[in-house]
Amino acid sequence: MGLGNGMDSSHSAQKNSLGSRGTLKWRDGRNHVGDFQEGLEHGFGICLVPRPSEDRYDCYKCHWYQGKMRGYGICEYGNDLVYRGYFKDSVRQGFGILENFSAEHPFKYTGQWENDKKNGYGVWEDKERGERYIGMWLDDHRHGEGIVVMQSGLCYQRTFHADKMVGSGILLLEDDSVYEGNFTEELTFVGKGKLSLANGFVLQGTFSSRGGRGLSTHGVLSTTMENPNPVLFSSQLGLKEFPVEKRWTGIFEQFLEFLHSGCKEEMEESFTGFHIQTRNQEYLFCQALTVAFQATYSGIGANRHLLAMAQEEVKFYSKKIWEFYQGLLRVALERKGHTPSEDADPRLVGPSLVLPLILPGFYPELSMLYMLQHQREDELYCQGIVELSLFPDIQLLEFLDVQKHLWPLKDLPLTSNQRRSLIKDKCFLSATECLQKLITTVDPREKLEILRRTFQELELTVSRLPGAHSRLPMDDLLPLLMFVVSRAKIQHLGAEIHLIRDLMDPTNQGGMLDFLLTALESCYEHIQKIRLHPKENSHSS
Amino acid sequence: MAAGAGAAAGGRSFSFKVVLLGEGCVGKTSLVLRYCENKFNDKHITTLQASFLTKKLNIGGKRVNLAIWDTAGQERFHALGPIYYRDSNGAILVYDITDEDSFQKVKNWVKELRKMLGNEICLCIVGNKIDLEKERHVSVQEAEMYAESVGAKHYHTSAKQNKGIEELFLDLCKRMIETAQVDERARGNGSSQSGTARRGVQIIDDEPQVQSSGGCCSSG
């Protein structure tokens, strides 16, 4: 970049007591419009710099500090590159996004910059290849631990050295087989390795490619199937390699700096740039974090092996935002002359208050990851639901062994036909409808509340039945709940349950809401196994 | 969270999860209902009046919050067990002394629990309905010997006559506190902290916020 002050310039400005606002023009065509102080760019400004031998300009919309770019800025370069992020001493420094919108080699880098170069944790998307790199950088090269996810759903984790892959890695294939060992960028296995197939077979040996005619190997194939390794199947990447507190440090630094500067209003915009539209502290952090989150986990990044990373990240965000709030509070109190009390509640209350507030910003990607992770169970559950939906209510109550005295409308003097038509698919309707609201909210607290109300409705219905105890032991309650769950037909229930469990306030553990969620989970598990075995094997008899 | 090593013995509170297992008609629910029934405050009953119950105790200055999880006893729900008993600190396995078969079911549960949760879970085997002593089909000696052989404690109760229930729960709580403290000590000394971190015990050092009135604070 090198935006030093030019030699020949004309300067027109209106002076006022603080500084001035004006236009500075250089002979080479450079043009700066903005705030100045003592002859230097200081404050917000827009600078146009002509590109040599092109009829185009680089446009900098940034904050300046004593003649140098500092804080948040947007730079639209003449060559279709756009940088949105932080600067210091006129170079990219801290968190920033560089995107190439040109037709040739379109890419997007979201991550950390040091001294104008990609350095630290960052995400690179190669839009042409449909590939995303999530990991460490050094001087614009992939360097250190990294994860590569591909459009096909395949992904691997490797160590990089100046853009080259070194050592062995782990390759997670689309068909759930896993290869551990060395492989090339074209995904050819080379050297010693271990291939664990999804069916439990393990092939261990030395691999080499045969010039495009398949794979050759000397090794041992073990077919004992002792352990169709469930750990590998659900293996989650990046947890050890990228500790959550080391990701996106550039975003958090800006806010710490803002706090340390005493939250001066004129500094707000330069620090918090990503959020100038909202001006609402609540969303300050969130916007930059949402951008970073989407860059990692949306699109190609919607890969179930990244779920643990994503989940951990959202929880960590709420912790950091809570800390930021406390910082703001401290500054506010100090301004009013109060001494801030140091006995802030050390328990986890704060972050769990923040989580529901910020969750909407991360929910689409996060819930997609949960759906992918629990796709198989959800499919089984769906089959079970379809089978159960073939039953009219009476038969379903019978099938689930709901105690007869808990059947609604039991002792109305109706013939069985009348009864069937009257209450067809209407039993426990209030509870069913209540449970269906589960997917209308993203907040785990509200979801649990909906669950609680579902049980309440269930018990209310039962309490209206003559002769039935409203104190239901699990022997009675579980079949009833199964009935309600199978009628509510909630899609992706497994993903829902796990999301709630992972994100709910940890103080719920072991408590009533945990119990209700567990009961729901047990219904979900049970429904997966329900098959009515329509007698299709008639020819065998 | 809190480093337990130097914590004083008093003013501690524990939260335990206890799961209730046993066949349908052995009376496991009435057992717990009997225990948790609060005669002085009828309104205190939670939504799930019989399948999820809580009880607060004070044992030697240590406050204990018990959460008791009922399970469905039907055989076809057996496979759902692990969902309910994970992260439990204790299990109460109830059989009917007049029903040999229900005792067999308890044995199956014990095997499964030991296999899945090891020795960290405190097991109580409970022979209920001792008011029907005449119809007993499970011998006292056999039951007690079995319990001893699997590292469980055996109790005799009658939910109907309210016999043996207080002792059962008090005893269980004491054992769970002991286990939690041993666990805590091991974690304090041991090298790996995160290894056993995801157990259900929550030990909270709560500095009493209101210390206005001097003197001893008895249970509330």
Side-chain angles (χ1 to χ4, degrees):
Chain A
M1 330 211 144
L3 271 186
N5 273 325
M7 305 283 267
D8 307 305
S9 58
S10 72
H11 189 182
S12 67
Q14 305 143 348
K15 283 254 168 203
N16 63 31
S17 60
L18 287 166
S20 59
R21 175 158 295 177
T23 307
L24 184 62
K25 286 182 179 164
W26 283 265
R27 281 265 169 77
D28 61 3
R30 230 190 303 167
N31 196 346
H32 187 106
V33 181
D35 297 330
F36 292 85
Q37 200 173 55
E38 289 165 13
L40 294 172
E41 299 93 328
H42 193 90
F44 184 72
I46 298 175
C47 185
L48 289 176
V49 182
R51 292 180 75 81
S53 71
E54 268 180 279
D55 188 23
R56 303 175 94 171
Y57 288 88
D58 291 344
C59 174
Y60 297 81
K61 291 177 260 185
C62 304
H63 292 268
W64 264 262
Y65 184 84
Q66 294 175 353
K68 298 203 164 135
M69 289 192 284
R70 186 181 198 177
Y72 181 74
I74 299 175
C75 299
E76 292 155 5
Y77 301 97
N79 57 358
D80 288 334
L81 285 178
V82 175
Y83 176 81
R84 285 173 294 146
Y86 294 101
F87 288 91
K88 200 171 182 184
D89 293 333
S90 288
V91 294
R92 296 175 202 137
Q93 178 84 26
F95 177 75
I97 301 163
L98 183 69
E99 199 162 0
N100 184 1
F101 288 97
S102 72
E104 267 174 65
H105 307 305
F107 67 81
K108 183 179 178 184
Y109 173 81
T110 309
Q112 190 72 14
W113 298 83
E114 302 284 342
N115 200 17
D116 231 18
K117 290 189 167 135
K118 304 178 197 77
N119 258 311
Y121 182 73
V123 176
W124 169 275
E125 181 158 341
D126 184 328
K127 294 181 182 173
E128 236 165 16
R129 287 172 63 117
E131 224 178 84
R132 188 175 291 176
Y133 172 86
I134 301 164
M136 303 311 293
W137 295 78
L138 183 70
D139 290 339
D140 278 343
H141 293 298
R142 297 181 286 177
H143 193 96
E145 297 298 321
I147 297 169
V148 174
V149 277
M150 301 174 128
Q151 197 82 63
S152 61
L154 182 145
C155 61
Y156 59 86
Q157 188 168 323
R158 286 300 288 264
T159 306
F160 288 77
H161 197 274
D163 264 346
K164 296 268 185 321
M165 302 201 293
V166 294
S168 66
I170 177 165
L171 177 67
L172 304 164
L173 294 132
E174 306 95 308
D175 68 347
D176 294 331
S177 46
V178 178
Y179 176 78
E180 293 159 279
N182 195 7
F183 50 90
T184 67
E185 216 148 334
E186 287 72 42
L187 306 178
T188 318
F189 304 166
V190 281
K192 274 190 181 159
K194 181 177 155 193
L195 179 65
S196 314
L197 300 169
N199 65 2
F201 287 15
V202 175
L203 179 59
Q204 200 155 9
T206 312
F207 295 85
S208 58
S209 73
R210 299 173 68 187
R213 292 195 293 121
L215 191 68
S216 96
T217 176
H218 294 278
V220 181
L221 177 69
S222 118
T223 58
T224 48
M225 308 250 291
E226 260 171 15
N227 44 343
N229 204 334
V231 180
L232 281 180
F233 167 73
S234 61
S235 64
Q236 293 291 320
L237 299 176
L239 292 174
K240 250 191 291 155
E241 291 73 14
F242 317 116
V244 68
E245 61 277 3
K246 300 229 167 111
R247 298 178 217 156
W248 314 123
T249 48
I251 299 175
F252 300 118
E253 274 161 17
Q254 289 303 321
F255 290 93
L256 280 184
E257 214 170 308
F258 181 56
L259 284 179
H260 287 156
S261 76
C263 307
K264 291 193 199 100
E265 214 169 308
E266 68 267 23
M267 303 297 260
E268 186 178 325
E269 199 176 299
S270 89
F271 281 126
T272 58
F274 279 94
H275 324 280
I276 24 185
Q277 320 88 315
T278 57
R279 282 218 158 254
N280 187 344
Q281 303 272 354
E282 199 171 297
Y283 297 104
L284 282 182
F285 253 131
C286 224
Q287 196 127 352
L289 291 171
T290 302
V291 166
F293 193 78
Q294 286 170 347
T296 322
Y297 305 110
S298 72
I300 304 170
N303 186 305
R304 65 186 168 84
H305 299 292
L306 302 179
L307 171 63
M309 261 178 93
Q311 189 248 93
E312 184 183 60
E313 225 165 286
V314 172
K315 282 189 181 169
F316 182 71
Y317 295 164
S318 54
K319 190 173 150 228
K320 292 305 272 189
I321 290 173
W322 175 247
E323 283 173 18
F324 180 55
Y325 273 132
Q326 286 181 311
L328 286 177
L329 186 68
R330 218 172 298 131
V331 170
L333 285 172
E334 274 165 5
R335 261 188 217 164
K336 287 186 179 166
H338 298 296
T339 32
S341 54
E342 283 303 316
D343 58 298
D345 196 336
R347 285 175 217 167
L348 293 166
V349 177
S352 57
L353 283 177
V354 172
L355 185 67
L357 295 176
I358 65 163
L359 195 55
F362 309 101
Y363 196 77
E365 287 75 26
L366 195 60
S367 72
M368 176 57 87
L369 290 171
Y370 273 98
M371 283 182 213
L372 292 169
Q373 175 73 356
H374 299 284
Q375 201 168 19
R376 290 176 173 195
E377 298 100 306
D378 276 342
E379 271 166 23
L380 291 173
Y381 152 83
C382 264
Q383 285 170 31
I385 289 283
V386 168
E387 303 235 3
L388 292 174
S389 68
L390 298 174
F391 286 123
D393 275 6
I394 297 286
Q395 273 176 36
L396 184 57
L397 287 166
E398 225 158 33
F399 177 78
L400 294 172
D401 276 345
V402 175
Q403 297 276 309
K404 283 240 164 62
H405 67 276
L406 299 175
W407 291 17
L409 301 188
K410 172 192 160 240
D411 54 356
L412 282 185
L414 301 171
T415 68
S416 63
N417 263 342
Q418 275 174 314
R419 190 189 301 164
R420 195 159 296 173
S421 61
L422 227 177
I423 60 170
K424 186 176 181 299
D425 298 335
K426 287 281 188 279
C427 290
F428 300 105
L429 190 65
S430 61
T432 305
E433 283 175 345
C434 186
L435 186 60
Q436 282 167 336
K437 293 189 190 120
L438 199 68
I439 53 170
T440 60
T441 171
V442 304
D443 182 349
R445 282 180 316 187
E446 281 176 31
K447 284 175 191 280
L448 286 170
E449 175 58 21
I450 286 166
L451 196 55
R452 197 188 60 76
R453 284 211 309 272
T454 303
F455 278 83
Q456 223 170 22
E457 289 295 339
L458 199 58
E459 287 192 326
L460 198 67
T461 310
V462 170
S463 72
R464 291 206 189 99
L465 300 176
H469 275 285
S470 58
R471 288 184 156 194
L472 293 176
M474 267 318 245
D475 291 348
D476 292 337
L477 189 60
L478 193 60
L480 282 177
L481 187 62
M482 297 253 180
F483 181 92
V484 171
V485 173
S486 49
R487 283 299 186 238
K489 297 179 189 166
I490 295 169
Q491 284 198 320
H492 309 295
L493 185 60
E496 283 286 336
I497 290 169
H498 284 92
L499 185 142
I500 300 172
R501 191 174 291 291
D502 289 349
L503 298 184
M504 73 181 184
D505 187 343
T507 57
N508 282 325
Q509 268 169 34
M512 187 179 70
L513 294 173
D514 185 4
F515 176 77
L516 299 183
L517 188 61
T518 304
L520 181 65
E521 186 182 342
S522 72
C523 293
Y524 170 72
E525 290 275 329
H526 192 71
I527 289 171
Q528 284 177 50
K529 296 192 188 88
I530 286 178
R531 293 295 175 272
L532 304 175
H533 305 299
K535 290 174 183 110
E536 279 172 11
N537 308 346
S538 49
H539 52 270
S540 67
S541 59
Chain B
M1 267 186 281
R12 300 279 303 275
S13 88
F14 297 84
S15 291
F16 293 127
K17 171 181 164 183
V18 174
V19 66
L20 194 58
L21 298 162
E23 246 195 328
C25 41
V26 298
K28 59 179 157 51
T29 314
S30 12
L31 201 79
V32 189
L33 273 178
R34 179 66 99 169
Y35 179 62
C36 295
E37 235 161 35
N38 190 339
K39 293 184 187 81
F40 306 103
N41 185 4
D42 252 346
K43 282 173 193 158
H44 180 65
I45 290 166
T46 53
T47 351
L48 296 162
Q49 296 148 344
S51 40
F52 176 85
L53 289 147
T54 55
K55 177 101 176 172
K56 287 183 202 291
L57 293 101
N58 193 321
I59 301 172
K62 299 182 185 86
R63 274 181 284 167
V64 175
N65 294 310
L66 259 191
I68 304 164
W69 292 38
D70 192 14
T71 61
Q74 292 95 319
E75 184 55 34
R76 62 206 186 93
F77 295 139
H78 185 97
L80 303 176
I83 300 173
Y84 288 91
Y85 61 62
R86 67 185 165 205
D87 295 328
S88 291
N89 306 101
I92 297 176
L93 304 125
V94 190
Y95 68 94
D96 177 350
I97 61 161
T98 69
D99 180 359
E100 171 75 46
D101 203 37
S102 69
F103 184 59
Q104 195 54 48
K105 291 274 158 55
V106 163
K107 286 183 176 174
N108 295 344
W109 278 120
V110 169
K111 237 182 267 165
E112 188 179 327
L113 286 169
R114 283 287 181 235
K115 189 177 155 210
M116 307 294 285
L117 301 177
N119 287 323
E120 281 177 87
I121 184 164
C122 298
L123 300 185
C124 299
I125 297 176
V126 180
N128 192 28
K129 304 195 185 175
I130 52 167
D131 44 298
L132 302 175
E133 188 63 42
K134 278 177 237 157
E135 294 161 54
R136 178 185 275 282
H137 276 96
V138 181
S139 91
V140 176
Q141 206 194 1
E142 188 202 338
E144 283 179 346
M145 271 171 62
Y146 172 74
E148 209 187 316
S149 74
V150 293
K153 284 262 174 103
H154 189 277
Y155 304 86
H156 279 111
T157 59
S158 164
K160 196 172 172 189
Q161 297 170 345
N162 197 4
K163 273 188 189 156
I165 297 174
E166 285 286 337
E167 295 90 311
L168 158 67
F169 280 96
L170 191 65
D171 221 37
L172 173 60
C173 284
K174 283 181 185 162
R175 280 165 61 208
M176 289 191 296
I177 291 173
E178 226 167 80
T179 310
Q181 284 174 335
V182 167
D183 198 46
E184 189 187 349
R185 249 173 266 140
R187 226 179 303 163
N189 303 334
S191 50
S192 72
Q193 284 208 317
S194 55
T196 51
R198 260 204 69 83
R199 294 251 49 228
V201 206
Q202 278 180 297
I203 301 166
I204 303 151
D205 282 306
D206 47 7
E207 315 91 81
Q209 283 144 345
V210 194
Q211 265 199 325
S212 52
S213 65
C216 69
C217 24
S218 60
S219 69

